[in-house]
């Protein structure tokens, strides 16, 4: 890695950490939320072999607009159009009802860019592993299983994006008895 890409990644991690500073995961330990975007970027780099820095940046930033006060204009000014476009592609419209948002993820997944599909895939892989690690506060076993089934429908639309990540995902679905 060149020293400039190191600096760019540190800048991006710092931006995401500041934006998510007051947010916690839903696990009983209330883990800092930033563990999730860092983990998603790490899956792409370490397990998916991804070196495209804009994909890694988008992974670090992928929940900033959906879950914090960050705007796309702000991302564009700091990180430029490509990173912003990838984040936009993986951002749910929070004004829509939850069922509609979930349905749209399944519908849109096959039409996303390759870069956005990579981020989506790693996001789902992280969240499924997190569900195996522990159940979010207030979630029943049925809700966990429903998340696996829904995630499998999204992942179907991401086929052919990254063999290593898809293989790991497939194993998790098999363990849950979910058909991909
Ligand atoms: N497994 C798990 N998920 C947690 C936890 N804490 C927060 N989350 C987040 O919750 C989301 C999944 O929960 P849902 O109830 O399905 O969705 P919602 O937050 O949009 O209402 C994921 O959002 P996302 O990353 O935007 O992905 P997506 O599921 O919306 O695609 C995930 O990152 C946790 O402790 N475990
Ligand atoms: Mn996420």
């Amino acid at each position: 890695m060149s020293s400039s890409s190191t600096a760019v990644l540190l800048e991006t991690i710092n931006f995401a950490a500041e934006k998510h500073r007051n947010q916690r995961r839903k696990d009983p330990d209330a883990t800092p939320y930033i563990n999730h975007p860092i983990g998603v970027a790490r899956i792409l780099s370490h397990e998916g072999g991804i070196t495209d820095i804009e994909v890694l940046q988008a992974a670090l930033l992928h929940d900033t607009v959906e879950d914090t006060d960050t705007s796309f204009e702000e991302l564009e000014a700091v990180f430029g159009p490509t990173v912003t476009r990838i984040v936009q592609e993986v951002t749910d419209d929070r004004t829509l009802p939850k069922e509609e948002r979930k349905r749209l993820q399944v519908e849109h997944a096959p039409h996303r860019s390759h870069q956005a599909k990579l981020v989506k895939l790693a996001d789902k892989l992280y969240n499924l592993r997190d569900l195996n690690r522990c159940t979010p506060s207030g979630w029943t076993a049925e809700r966990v299983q429903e998340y696996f089934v829904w995630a499998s429908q999204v992942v179907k639309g991401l086929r052919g994006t990254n063999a290593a990540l898809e293989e790991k995902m497939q194993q998790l679905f098999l363990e849950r008895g979910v058909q991909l």
Side-chain angles (χ1 to χ4, degrees):
M1 199 193 306
S2 74
S3 60
S4 74
S5 54
T6 309
V8 164
L9 280 177
L10 286 170
E11 197 60 23
T12 312
I13 292 167
N14 187 63
F15 182 97
E18 285 185 353
K19 290 297 190 176
H20 289 295
R21 79 177 342 138
N22 294 317
Q23 250 189 305
R24 297 290 178 274
R25 299 286 285 172
K26 299 168 184 165
D27 61 318
D29 288 346
T31 301
Y33 196 86
I34 191 63
N35 283 34
H36 168 61
I38 291 175
V40 172
R42 196 256 184 189
I43 285 173
L44 287 167
S45 163
H46 191 77
E47 302 182 58
I50 302 304
T51 54
D52 179 344
I53 190 164
E54 291 178 312
V55 169
L56 301 178
Q57 287 182 274
L60 290 164
L61 299 167
H62 81 273
D63 277 330
T64 56
V65 176
E66 198 173 298
D67 295 337
T68 79
D69 66 2
T70 310
S71 67
F72 290 120
E73 291 72 22
E74 188 178 2
L75 289 186
E76 174 111 23
V78 183
F79 300 108
T82 304
V83 171
T84 305
R85 190 255 307 149
I86 303 168
V87 175
Q88 185 262 319
E89 286 190 81
V90 301
T91 298
D92 285 354
D93 180 351
R94 281 280 196 181
T95 67
L96 298 174
K98 182 162 175 163
E99 284 313 305
E100 178 74 352
R101 280 191 275 130
K102 296 273 170 193
R103 194 185 62 73
L104 286 174
Q105 279 206 34
V106 176
E107 191 176 304
H108 291 156
H111 311 293
R112 296 308 187 201
S113 68
H114 178 71
Q115 291 173 311
K117 283 179 177 176
L118 282 169
V119 175
K120 259 291 158 216
L121 204 52
D123 186 24
K124 291 289 180 284
L125 186 52
Y126 185 103
N127 285 333
L128 295 179
R129 285 173 173 168
D130 220 12
L131 287 176
N132 281 342
R133 185 180 63 86
C134 64
T135 304
S137 306
W139 285 39
T140 61
E142 290 69 32
R143 183 165 172 189
V144 171
Q145 186 69 13
E146 277 167 24
Y147 189 92
F148 270 83
V149 171
W150 167 73
S152 77
Q153 290 165 359
V154 178
V155 169
K156 252 180 220 157
L158 303 173
R159 274 189 185 142
T161 302
N162 183 281
L165 299 186
E166 285 167 62
E167 220 167 274
K168 293 183 180 196
M169 194 83 94
Q170 170 68 12
Q171 189 54 38
L172 296 184
F173 291 132
L174 269 178
E175 286 164 17
R176 286 271 169 179
V178 174
Q179 189 76 37
L180 188 63

